[in-house]
Amino acid sequence: MADRKGKVRRIKRGPPAGSSAHRESDEESDGVSFPRSQDHFEKFNKLIEWELEDEMAAVEERLKKWSRERLVENGITLFDLEGRNDGWLFGQRIVKLFTRGEALPHHRFRHGDIVILSRKNPLKEKVIEGTVLSRSRKFIRVVVTQQPEKIRSDTWRLDRGANRVAHDRMANALESLFSDESSTMLRELFYGQVRDMEGSASRPANMGGIQKRLAAQANHTGNLNSSQSEAFTKAMQNRLSLIQGPPGTGKTHTAVRILAAWARNGAGPVLAVADSNVAVDNLLEGLLEQGVKAIRLGQPVKVREALRDATMAAQMEEHHLREDVETLIALNEDAMRRLPSLKGKEKGLAHRDINKGWKDVRRIENEMRDDILEHAQVICATCVGAGDLLLDSRRFPLVLLDEATQATEPATLIPLTKGARHVVMVGDHHQLPPTVISRRAEHEGLSCSLFERMIALGAPSTMLTTQYRMHPVIREWPSERFYGGQLEDGVSAEERSAPAGFVWPDWDAPVAFVPVEGSEDTSPDGASKQNMDEAGLAVRVVDMLLSGGDITPSEIGVVTPYSGQVRLLNDLFESAGGREEHERYHGLEIKTVDGYQGREKDVIVLSAVRANDTGEMGFLTDRRRLNVAITRARRGLILLGHPRTLRNDSSWASWCDWASERGLEAYHVLHM
């Protein structure tokens, strides 16, 4: 629990007598119950405080000390923007920002980014917060929290912002978990001294008739493959199920089937969450296709456009009480317009009526929200979004977390403290861990997900073993290296034939390692790496692929571990032909490896970047990043890298050896 100054106070409240945690505390001499839980509480409170402090400090550092030139060069601030109102998104104003007659400078603002809008200096003004809705070469559209005054007459500045909401909701979840008596089961399982983790996790939850209906559903696996069926069955029976899904094995498909079975058996309300908006949208899309009545919480701006009809905001627009709300709002606004002409008692009575009118609006809107939630079978949200005030009074005995290995443990606790008694976590601890801004928090363990910690403690898991994404040859090495050779192919080589245009070393094995004898540089911002030789070659490789005629730019992904290389690649492709509509590379996606987790493309062009005489590899040595990078491709993988540098890491050396033994080195590409 945090006091007003943010200091952590020790929790004295203990569990009911007779619980395992109570017996543990009896052995303690200081009288504090839940000694292990207390340690976790204090640890995670400290870590999330560090995360917020370091994020805020980074923003403040940039705003105070960075020069205008440095901010622009790093793509995190745009200056001298003109603006105009550009419509509404479910009651929130959209502002369009642009530079008249010119393309915007290079920048890193993307859909869903939290931004700050100010006139000149955000440290000295009352800023307007917003969220990026869309972007093009010439403009950015931002959904703002309030209407900017004189939007057309002033010029504007756009900066990256920080997210306080996530910290507050994680802190509230921690306090709830370790002080609320209803969380005893979770404390015992996740934070208690459970001697038989497998037996404890596999025990059915105590949910009466709900649990019986789920058990009866366990063998109704439908069109799932054998490993998916096994995961489905355990998800129906066990209070905690961990489902490990290697790349392309249908994690989300399996998760959707579990959620649909829960919903159709009257086991709701069901809470479905993931760390990212993209992953939540994937769950929502699958549920809607299954005919499940699902509602999406969160800002509509962060929801995929095709799914916005399922958001709370859109459902409220269609609710039968909406007309009543609009009538009340119109009456109130009319009363407010007449207010200046009134005097004395008459004016006081008008004020009273206006206040009552707005209370009535809020009351009816709350009724609308409650009605929508009551009729939903599944509620979908991000982990942080599950902390919305809308859900404060609601309890969800069944919770499913997709992409669970991408969420920090405190973020995972937000949905789990909503009354969870039966939990399914879907993820893969051999892919990328949670993103943590604070290096000190990462070093102290914030980057270890609850999923991974449960695996380490011996909790049982089911691995999905049939992959439907990759050509069998692309699957071959990661299966052996990361998954004990257990991955099987659900697609044939013929279904994933090599694209024409590029000259593959072996047309039956669409993998190419292009050994680039170049050198790395520090990016202009001094915070990343880039490699001009690899970037230039990446443009040539994409041109080769496009020349074949059977693949489009939107089916190609250019991937690299370093943000500096992303910026360099963006600049080169823009100058070589452009990526706007009707331009040569329209639809081509250039992202970091981290930005591609959960994504796939027909062909992946991977630039490794590191090339030096000292063998320095940086965070390239994280084997999980390598696993993600090479498993995004369906039909072809082309890796550009410096062999001598890459061989300084055992995982990269293993891949290079495999490519060499397979005859997949492509020296000829360098001379084409």
Side-chain angles (χ1 to χ4, degrees), residues 222-490:
N223 61 351
L224 299 175
N225 65 41
S226 60
S227 61
Q228 291 171 339
S229 294
E230 181 185 355
F232 178 92
T233 298
K234 291 181 178 178
M236 295 300 116
Q237 297 173 335
N238 300 344
R239 66 169 175 166
L240 174 63
S241 295
L242 304 182
I243 302 173
Q244 184 188 359
T249 55
K251 293 191 296 293
T252 300
H253 174 68
T254 306
V256 167
R257 285 295 310 277
I258 292 167
L259 289 167
W262 285 354
R264 289 167 181 159
N265 281 272
V270 174
L271 184 58
V273 299
D275 185 65
S276 70
N277 284 289
V278 171
V280 178
D281 284 350
N282 290 339
L283 288 176
L284 176 64
E285 184 176 42
L287 288 167
L288 295 176
E289 290 174 353
Q290 290 278 321
V292 175
K293 188 167 179 57
I295 190 75
R296 174 73 153 92
L297 299 188
Q299 297 181 42
V301 62
K302 295 186 178 183
V303 178
R304 195 180 306 154
E305 187 173 358
L307 301 172
R308 286 177 186 159
D309 285 347
T311 62
M312 174 63 75
Q315 293 290 303
M316 287 184 69
E317 292 283 345
E318 300 297 323
H319 197 274
H320 67 274
L321 293 177
R322 186 69 199 177
E323 190 173 334
D324 294 349
V325 171
E326 290 176 350
T327 300
L328 280 171
I329 291 174
L331 289 171
N332 270 13
E333 289 177 343
D334 182 62
M336 291 174 69
R337 282 193 293 271
R338 291 186 288 106
L339 199 60
S341 64
L342 303 177
K343 295 181 180 180
K345 185 177 181 181
E346 193 177 29
K347 190 170 187 175
L349 291 171
H351 272 295
R352 183 198 65 186
D353 291 342
I354 290 169
N355 287 335
K356 183 180 182 302
W358 288 121
K359 286 180 181 178
D360 287 341
V361 169
R362 289 193 293 271
R363 175 180 56 77
I364 297 174
E365 287 183 336
N366 287 335
E367 288 178 12
M368 292 162 63
R369 293 186 185 97
D370 287 342
D371 184 53
I372 292 167
L373 291 174
E374 285 294 335
H375 288 87
Q377 293 174 295
V378 180
I379 295 170
C380 302
T382 62
C383 291
V384 172
D388 194 293
L389 288 173
L390 282 173
L391 304 183
D392 261 8
S393 61
R394 296 181 177 274
R395 289 293 175 261
F396 301 91
L398 292 100
V399 178
L400 183 143
L401 296 96
D402 196 14
E403 299 290 1
T405 48
Q406 290 188 267
T408 65
E409 187 160 335
T412 300
L413 295 179
I414 298 173
L416 294 184
T417 52
K418 300 295 179 181
R421 303 182 68 81
H422 187 119
V423 178
V424 173
M425 292 194 284
V426 185
D428 182 13
H429 52 293
H430 292 307
Q431 296 188 60
L432 289 173
T435 299
V436 177
I437 294 171
S438 170
R439 291 288 173 261
R440 53 179 176 164
E442 180 181 23
H443 180 73
E444 291 295 320
L446 190 58
S447 62
C448 179
S449 66
L450 179 60
F451 184 107
E452 186 173 5
R453 190 167 69 80
M454 288 294 100
I455 291 285
L457 289 176
S461 65
T462 303
M463 188 169 78
L464 308 181
T465 55
T466 303
Q467 70 88 18
Y468 300 91
R469 174 185 298 164
M470 297 167 277
H471 186 288
V473 173
I474 301 175
R475 179 271 307 154
E476 191 176 292
W477 184 83
S479 175
E480 291 296 329
R481 187 73 179 181
F482 302 113
Y483 303 106
Q486 296 184 64
L487 294 190
E488 303 170 350
D489 297 312

Side-chain angles (χ1 to χ4, degrees), residues 68 78-82 98-100 119-120 155-158:
R68 175 171 173 144
L78 291 171
F79 294 92
D80 302 325
L81 299 171
E82 296 189 44
F98 55 94
T99 303
R100 191 171 298 277
R119 288 174 173 82
K120 300 220 181 261
T155 58
W156 299 89
R157 164 178 175 166
L158 193 68

Side-chain angles (χ1 to χ4, degrees), residues 208-226:
I210 293 177
Q211 197 63 48
K212 291 179 181 178
R213 291 197 299 273
L214 295 183
Q217 183 69 25
N219 295 319
H220 296 264
T221 57
N223 61 351
L224 299 175
N225 65 41
S226 60

Side-chain angles (χ1 to χ4, degrees), residues 5-16:
K5 295 183 179 180
K7 304 283 187 177
V8 175
R9 302 196 303 269
R10 293 184 70 82
I11 298 172
K12 299 294 183 179
R13 175 184 277 180

Side-chain angles (χ1 to χ4, degrees), residues 103-117:
L104 293 173
H106 167 71
H107 62 84
R108 294 163 58 188
F109 295 104
R110 298 290 185 269
H111 171 79
D113 284 351
I114 296 171
V115 294
I116 299 170
L117 188 63

